[in-house]
Amino acid sequence: MNIFQIESRMNSFDRVYGGWLEQLRHLVDQLAAAPKPPTTADHHHQLHHLVSKFMDHYAEYYRTKAIAVDRDVLSILAAPWITALERSLHWIGGWRPTTVFHLVYTESSILFESHIIDILRGHRTGDLGDLSPSQFRGVSELQCDTVREENAITEELSEWQDGMSDLMAASSNLEGKIGKLGAIVQKADDLRLKTVRRVVELLTPQQAVEFLISASELQFGIRGWGLNLSNGPQ
């Protein structure tokens, strides 16, 4: 592959990511405008539809990324379409799956404290600050499972990196090694998507909307900080 082919592929995914991110902003606006708390069956249906639409958008991103990883995993890991700050926070080509749980617990604590008087009076708010014991248990169990899978993938990457010393050997199969790296990145992406899906399944539609908005705002915020750093004094 020559430099022009590499640049073409990088620019292609750059455009894909830019369009995906723009559509994500539109979806977040729709989530923010949805009725909360839902008071009618139509409201519940609307929230469920928006959450499904949002998750389909996430799944489409990872389907497209999987094709790009298969073609050129090194360019995907380099990720020139995002900021240096975003790359510094990456774990194997994307956000660390366990970040999801920190976000859920943080948002739940903030909302719980803001509604604590109502909650003590027995009023249910229905938001992330009103997670039930079974929901907390489900999130905790999922967190433990995710930590184990995350650690296993990290170990697999570590073994791949240790094995790269074999490149000095004349018989080294570089293409095969790069292919294995792509498989590791794919495992990481599969875990990212699976984690979000399983968290959303544990939440009510209202709570899922709040969670997805918070996750997106975090992503937009980090990107914004990264852009400001890039455009700041040199």
Side-chain angles (χ1 to χ4, degrees):
M1 183 186 301
N2 61 41
I3 186 64
F4 299 105
Q5 290 174 310
I6 293 174
E7 289 181 352
S8 176
R9 289 182 178 180
M10 289 167 61
N11 290 336
S12 176
F13 196 79
D14 187 3
R15 291 190 296 272
V16 168
Y17 183 75
W20 180 85
L21 199 63
E22 186 61 30
Q23 182 60 26
L24 183 68
R25 294 182 186 276
H26 292 313
L27 289 173
V28 169
D29 289 341
Q30 293 178 33
L31 292 179
K36 296 181 290 294
T39 55
T40 67
D42 286 343
H43 289 168
H44 281 280
H45 177 75
Q46 182 181 353
L47 291 184
H48 181 76
H49 173 72
L50 288 174
V51 170
S52 296
K53 186 176 179 181
F54 194 100
M55 292 308 302
D56 287 344
H57 187 60
Y58 256 92
E60 180 60 30
Y61 168 74
Y62 286 112
R63 281 193 293 270
T64 304
K65 185 181 176 185
I67 296 172
V69 166
D70 186 57
R71 290 176 175 173
D72 189 357
V73 63
L74 297 181
S75 293
I76 293 299
L77 287 173
W81 42 83
I82 61 175
T83 66
L85 177 61
E86 290 171 285
R87 284 193 295 274
S88 74
L89 299 172
H90 268 191
W91 170 80
I92 316 182
W95 48 272
R96 185 177 286 273
T98 46
T99 304
V100 167
F101 303 102
H102 299 301
L103 182 62
V104 170
Y105 292 137
T106 298
E107 290 297 312
S108 179
S109 296
I110 291 172
L111 290 171
F112 177 82
E113 290 177 3
S114 66
H115 300 316
I116 189 168
I117 299 301
D118 290 333
I119 293 173
L120 290 175
R121 290 174 176 172
H123 300 306
R124 302 299 301 272
T125 59
D127 57 21
L128 279 174
D130 194 19
L131 294 176
S132 68
S134 63
Q135 285 179 310
F136 270 117
R137 184 167 56 254
V139 170
S140 179
E141 291 173 353
L142 177 58
Q143 182 179 15
C144 292
D145 292 342
T146 304
V147 168
R148 282 193 292 270
E149 291 189 62
E150 194 178 273
N151 289 341
I153 297 172
T154 298
E155 180 63 26
E156 190 171 349
L157 177 63
S158 179
E159 292 175 358
W160 181 88
Q161 291 170 332
D162 290 341
M164 287 304 286
S165 60
D166 295 339
L167 282 177
M168 299 300 293
S171 61
S172 174
N173 179 10
L174 178 59
E175 185 175 343
K177 292 182 183 298
I178 296 301
K180 186 173 181 180
L181 177 61
I184 294 172
V185 173
Q186 188 58 58
K187 285 183 181 181
D189 282 342
D190 289 345
L191 181 58
R192 280 184 266 270
L193 182 58
K194 181 176 72 171
T195 301
V196 174
R197 277 178 167 161
R198 292 185 64 185
V199 166
V200 167
E201 289 170 359
L202 289 169
L203 304 176
T204 67
Q206 178 186 347
Q207 292 166 344
V209 165
E210 294 168 351
F211 162 69
L212 293 173
I213 289 175
S214 296
S216 300
E217 288 179 343
L218 178 61
Q219 180 177 356
F220 295 148
I222 292 174
R223 182 168 180 79
W225 296 333
L227 291 171
N228 287 338
L229 290 172
S230 300
N231 296 329
Q234 300 298 314

